[in-house]
Amino acid sequence: VAFARPDSRMTDAGSWKAAERRQHRAAMSRLIRESAGSYDYLIELDKIPQLQNQNNATYYENDLVHYKQPAHDLIAAAIKAKIPNP
């Protein structure tokens, strides 16, 4: 199982490395998607609408990176929808 995460999640958006990190994250997601045939399942977290805004305190911790339980519940639902008997 491979997971592709949203690319916009950055805690240091103002730093000089932020753009570079976004590029690396986008490249990693692209590589995961391009090799999706190598995996049994691809769970695309960036396709879960509620996880698109890292400023949403319902789903993200204060560091804007780590998920809260409601986000984990959404991810679990996405896994269950994709994998018949996880």
Side-chain angles (χ1 to χ4, degrees):
V1 175
F3 294 91
R5 296 179 64 168
D7 295 330
S8 62
R9 193 175 305 123
M10 298 300 300
T11 60
D12 58 348
S15 81
W16 64 273
K17 291 187 176 186
E20 181 180 344
R21 288 183 181 159
R22 273 193 296 276
Q23 289 174 346
H24 285 237
R25 191 170 286 134
M28 179 64 79
S29 291
R30 186 180 68 254
L31 290 171
I32 289 169
R33 285 186 177 89
E34 287 173 359
S35 61
S38 301
Y39 310 110
D40 292 329
Y41 301 98
L42 174 64
I43 311 298
E44 297 182 274
L45 303 184
D46 58 346
K47 303 290 185 194
I48 301 173
Q50 297 91 327
L51 301 183
Q52 298 312 301
N53 179 2
Q54 72 269 21
N55 293 309
N56 187 332
T58 300
Y59 300 105
Y60 288 94
E61 295 289 351
N62 292 336
D63 64 6
L64 307 178
V65 174
H66 295 96
Y67 295 126
K68 290 183 175 180
Q69 188 59 49
H72 290 289
D73 294 342
L74 291 172
I75 295 166
I79 293 169
K80 190 172 183 179
K82 194 83 156 187
I83 304 173
N85 295 304

